Amino acid sequence: MTTFGATLTIDLRALAQNYQTLNNQLSSGNLAAVVKANAYGLGVEEAALALNKAGCENFFVATLEEGIELRKILPTTSVHIFHGVLPGTAKDIVAHNLIPILNSLNQIEEWQPTAEHLAGLHIDTGMSRLGLTSAECESVGDRLNGFNIKIVMSHLACAEEPANPKNQEQLALFNGLRSLIPADHASLAASSGIYLGPDFHFDLSRAGVSLYGVNPTPGRSNPMAQVVRLQAKILQVRSVDTPQTVGYGATHQVTKPAKIATLGIGYADGYLRSLSNSATAYIGDIEVPVVGRISMDLTTIDVTGIADAELATGCLVDLIGPNNPVDQVASQAATIGYEILTRLGHRFERRYISDEV
């Protein structure tokens, strides 16, 4: 028995399976893995090594710091930096053999002294975030003389909605603008974009959150295997009756005799406060509701009707698991799977399952 209040189990076999599932979906090109934000909260070293073993040779991170960390883990793979080259960082990017994605005319100018090194170029086709505008693509020509542009990329705004006309609009604009850039390869699709079909695949697709079990096809059956399981320990069980309430703010009113179990997990661990009075947990295959407000370190569930033998101190309760996958928990929290994963904290006992275990 460990002293942690909760256990996070990460199935690296499922992660590798998801990589193969997505790779098999491609009609052309290769599949890259996005491992930014500590591999979406699950551990960049463990995830990157498992993905590389599964055949991945191209990785994307957000920041230079993440790139340097990943380079130490994977000395020879291609590592791209979404944020590009910020002032004063070009030498570090070159020193660690990283590939910046240039997002603006200013970044192109910043990269000019090291232009012989590999870089990528981001064009904005409808997100209005990073990337060159259409007008800038049409005028950038001479500025790229001598640049070693490996890849030109863009990002879809509505890929989770296959019928949204913006997908085709962005595809058409991307096809038009990429012809103006002297790049070897093109990349448009991320997780959900892969399922929009062959026209979106190009030379490199960038799998992100779907690798970690989130459904890339909302509204349809999830083709991804579940990677994470979050289980919290029962710290105490007490019997309550009217007119008692549960938790801060007395937001849950007991209406009949009940048993309330307190779990050793809270929003400081990334179990979101917005799950208060809306989430469900599982004891075995039995669903139980989260009642009362989730506090910093504790969560309360109604275990009325559960046999006492299943409620001993230290027994584990599924908060994310086979019966309540990440997408379901995200829906209960009125958010998305990205936030659920990346908020998972550091106070868990982390267990990694791999073929070597």
Side-chain angles (χ1 to χ4, degrees):
M1 180 72 69
T2 68
T3 59
F4 293 94
T7 298
L8 181 66
T9 302
I10 298 158
D11 190 341
L12 298 175
R13 301 168 304 179
L15 179 67
Q17 178 183 332
N18 289 342
Y19 180 83
Q20 295 300 340
T21 297
L22 291 160
N23 194 44
N24 292 340
Q25 189 71 22
L26 295 179
S27 61
S28 62
N30 297 311
L31 185 66
V34 181
V35 293
K36 61 183 179 178
N38 193 33
Y40 288 64
L42 302 188
V44 67
E45 180 171 1
E46 293 82 1
L49 288 172
L51 289 164
N52 185 236
K53 184 178 178 181
C56 184
E57 293 292 338
N58 288 278
F59 291 83
F60 283 80
V61 295
T63 68
L64 171 59
E65 290 76 17
E66 290 177 344
I68 292 172
E69 180 181 11
L70 184 58
R71 176 55 72 222
K72 294 175 182 177
I73 299 166
L74 297 174
T76 61
T77 58
S78 295
V79 177
H80 307 75
I81 306 173
F82 279 131
H83 288 186
V85 54
L86 301 181
T89 63
K91 290 183 179 179
D92 287 329
I93 292 172
V94 171
H96 291 91
N97 192 26
L98 306 173
I99 303 170
I101 304 298
L102 307 177
N103 294 293
S104 66
L105 298 179
N106 288 341
Q107 289 199 359
I108 290 172
E109 183 178 350
E110 187 74 26
W111 191 244
Q112 177 68 57
T114 49
E116 70 274 13
H117 295 276
L118 285 178
L121 192 69
H122 185 181
I123 57 179
D124 178 20
T125 57
M127 287 284 280
S128 299
R129 300 190 311 181
L130 298 176
L132 300 184
T133 66
S134 297
E136 288 170 337
C137 288
E138 292 170 357
S139 64
V140 74
D142 292 342
R143 297 196 189 196
L144 295 178
N145 288 339
F147 276 68
N148 191 0
I149 302 296
K150 173 188 178 183
I151 191 167
V152 59
M153 61 159 281
S154 191
H155 198 72
L156 295 166
C158 303
E160 296 86 355
E161 306 168 26
N164 194 310
K166 193 170 185 68
N167 294 317
Q168 292 298 330
E169 291 171 8
Q170 287 191 262
L171 175 62
L173 184 56
F174 182 65
N175 276 325
L177 294 177
R178 73 186 183 94
S179 64
L180 305 175
I181 307 299
D184 296 328
H185 303 289
S187 176
L188 180 60
S191 290
S192 294
I194 291 170
Y195 286 84
L196 293 178
D199 288 346
F200 291 82
H201 293 165
F202 294 99
D203 303 295
L204 193 69
S205 295
R206 311 178 306 269
V209 73
S210 58
L211 288 171
Y212 311 101
V214 170
N215 190 356
T217 59
R220 291 185 281 167
S221 178
N222 189 357
M224 300 294 104
Q226 289 303 301
V227 176
V228 300
R229 185 174 189 177
L230 178 61
Q231 298 169 291
K233 290 178 182 175
I234 294 175
L235 302 182
Q236 180 178 341
V237 178
R238 66 191 310 158
S239 297
V240 297
D241 200 351
T242 55
Q244 288 174 285
T245 60
V246 179
Y248 284 119
T251 60
H252 179 75
Q253 173 72 57
V254 176
T255 59
K256 59 184 179 180
K259 289 191 295 188
I260 303 296
T262 300
L263 309 179
I265 190 172
Y267 57 74
D269 304 291
Y271 194 62
L272 303 183
R273 191 171 182 267
S274 58
L275 290 164
S276 301
N277 292 305
S278 65
T280 55
Y282 279 83
I283 298 176
D285 290 325
I286 302 175
E287 184 180 39
V288 295
V290 172
V291 295
R293 284 184 184 164
I294 293 168
S295 54
M296 182 177 289
D297 314 297
L298 302 171
T299 295
T300 44
I301 58 176
D302 189 331
V303 294
T304 306
I306 304 294
D308 289 341
E310 303 294 324
L311 302 174
T313 299
C315 282
L316 294 173
V317 176
D318 275 319
L319 299 176
I320 302 173
N323 294 309
N324 48 348
V326 171
D327 291 297
Q328 177 174 304
V329 176
S331 177
Q332 293 169 344
T335 186
I336 55 177
Y338 297 77
E339 184 175 18
I340 297 297
L341 292 176
T342 58
R343 289 288 191 91
L344 294 174
H346 301 286
R347 296 198 297 182
F348 306 130
E349 176 191 11
R350 289 190 171 223
R351 298 175 178 173
Y352 289 91
I353 303 174
S354 69
D355 291 331
E356 284 75 32
V357 175

